């Protein structure tokens, strides 16, 4: 039985490697929303943790009517921050999204991607996306804690195991 | 001509700070004129923020403000202050701040985790200038 499950899990990768006919297998798109309470006491990414297959496009949309947010990868090329995405992956920065606006990024390199919201990093508005699974070629695990991030931001990343087990993790206020 | 007079009045009264409301007339309708700028023109924020309305501020007074809050009809409805909690804790006080109008019907104070312009977690202190102001700024 475990062997069978493993074969199924690998199956997706084989299909991806062979190249799927686009008409039959649209590339997957996942959604992450930026949200906040009406008075801005709390703000968050929903989900805060997300597991996707390599090649998935993640669409960030600002659903907070009174605030603007960004989705910005932790990367030395953007504001000289700690590298917290796989070294071979391209960093992204949505710039400020006004309410209703969205931004897409396609993630192909397997590994753990940590990102933040520029105006709300201090308030702990961060997120984590896990692309593929440990053992995938080129997999890069979670970055270590660093003094580059405030404790409130470091505390915001769900554990990789939990993201892989649940697929998506919502913060309490987002439920 | 009228605009020029308002600008002159604002410039003249500005150093007085707390005397801001003495030129009440100039601030009652949007736009309030210099030195105030519309927040959504300078920062990536919606033109009308639910709960706060359309905000104007003199950049020299950031982060505390006063922020002048106008409703959809351009009527001054609230004066708002934004005071970073860390600054308060570390000894900064915000004294003698101006008010957009001497008439205050109620005050709301609540926490805000930050937004462009005042990114540090802070308190919003909202002075509503008439009984109906809060509902007009709601959305
Ligand atoms: Cu944000």
């Amino acid at each position: 039985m475990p062997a069978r499950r493993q074969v199924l899990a690998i199956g997706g990768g084989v299909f991806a490697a062979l190249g799927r006919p686009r008409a039959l297998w649209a590339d997957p798109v996942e959604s992450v929303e930026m949200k906040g309470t009406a008075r801005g006491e709390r703000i968050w990414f929903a989900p805060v943790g997300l597991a996707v297959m390599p090649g998935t496009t993640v669409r960030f949309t600002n659903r907070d009517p009174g605030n603007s947010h960004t989705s910005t990868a932790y990367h030395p090329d953007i504001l000289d921050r700690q590298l917290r995405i796989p070294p071979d992956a391209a960093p992204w920065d949505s710039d400020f999204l006004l309410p209703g606006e969205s931004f897409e990024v396609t993630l192909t390199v397997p590994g753990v991607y940590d990102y933040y919201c520029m105006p709300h990093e201090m308030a702990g508005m961060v997120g984590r996306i896990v692309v593929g699974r440990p053992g995938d070629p080129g997999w890069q695990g979670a970055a270590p804690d660093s003094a580059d991030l405030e404790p409130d931001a470091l505390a915001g990343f769900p554990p990789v195991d939990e993201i892989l087990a649940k697929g998506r993790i919502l913060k309490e206020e987002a439920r | 001509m009228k605009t020029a007079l308002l600008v002159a009045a604002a410039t003249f009264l500005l150093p007085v700070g707390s005397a801001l409301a003495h030129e009440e007339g100039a601030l009652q309708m949007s736009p309030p004129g210099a030195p105030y700028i519309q927040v959504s023109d300078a920062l990536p924020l919606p033109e009308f923020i639910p709960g706060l309305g359309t905000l104007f501020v003199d950049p020299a007074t950031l982060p505390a403000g006063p922020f002048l809050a106008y409703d959809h009809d351009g009527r001054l409805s609230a004066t708002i202050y934004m005071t970073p909690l860390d600054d308060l804790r570390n000894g900064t006080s915000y004294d003698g701040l101006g008010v957009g109008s001497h008439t205050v019907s109620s005050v709301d104070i609540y926490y805000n985790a930050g937004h462009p312009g005042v990114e540090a977690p802070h308190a919003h202190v909202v002075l509503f200038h008439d009984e109906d102001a809060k509902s007009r700024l709601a959305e």
Side-chain angles (χ1 to χ4, degrees), chain B residues 28-121:
Chain B
Q28 296 317 295
M29 293 303 294
S30 170
Y36 293 95
I37 60 166
Q38 189 169 328
V39 168
S40 61
D41 287 344
L43 295 168
L45 281 169
E47 187 179 329
F48 188 96
I49 302 173
L52 300 178
T54 301
L55 297 177
F56 284 75
V57 71
D58 171 2
T61 65
L62 287 173
F67 292 78
L68 302 177
Y70 294 88
D71 67 13
H72 285 291
D73 296 324
R75 174 177 168 197
L76 180 69
S77 303
T79 300
I80 300 168
Y81 311 93
M82 305 189 183
T83 56
L85 302 187
D86 272 355
D87 291 352
L88 291 172
R89 192 181 301 123
N90 293 331
T92 300
S93 61
Y94 299 97
D95 300 329
L97 302 176
V99 287
S101 164
H102 282 315
T103 307
V104 176
S105 57
S106 66
V107 180
D108 284 3
I109 302 177
Y110 55 89
Y111 174 73
N112 183 285
H115 47 73
V118 185
E119 305 191 350

Side-chain angles (χ1 to χ4, degrees), chain A residues 37-43 64-69 95-99 118-120 122-123, chain B residues 43-46 48-51 108-116 119-121 124 128 134:
Chain A
T37 55
R39 285 178 154 189
E41 296 99 329
R42 296 188 310 283
I43 60 274
D64 185 350
N67 219 323
S68 52
H69 300 278
D95 203 353
F96 288 101
L97 300 177
L98 287 172
M118 277 187 192
H120 297 129
M122 266 194 274
Chain B
L43 295 168
L45 281 169
F48 188 96
I49 302 173
D108 284 3
I109 302 177
Y110 55 89
Y111 174 73
N112 183 285
H115 47 73
E119 305 191 350
H124 281 182
F128 293 106
K134 191 170 177 170

Side-chain angles (χ1 to χ4, degrees), chain A residues 34 43-45 67-70 117-121 125:
Chain A
M34 292 105 144
I43 60 274
W44 65 91
F45 288 105
N67 219 323
S68 52
H69 300 278
T70 77
C117 169
M118 277 187 192
H120 297 129
E121 184 194 12
M125 186 166 174

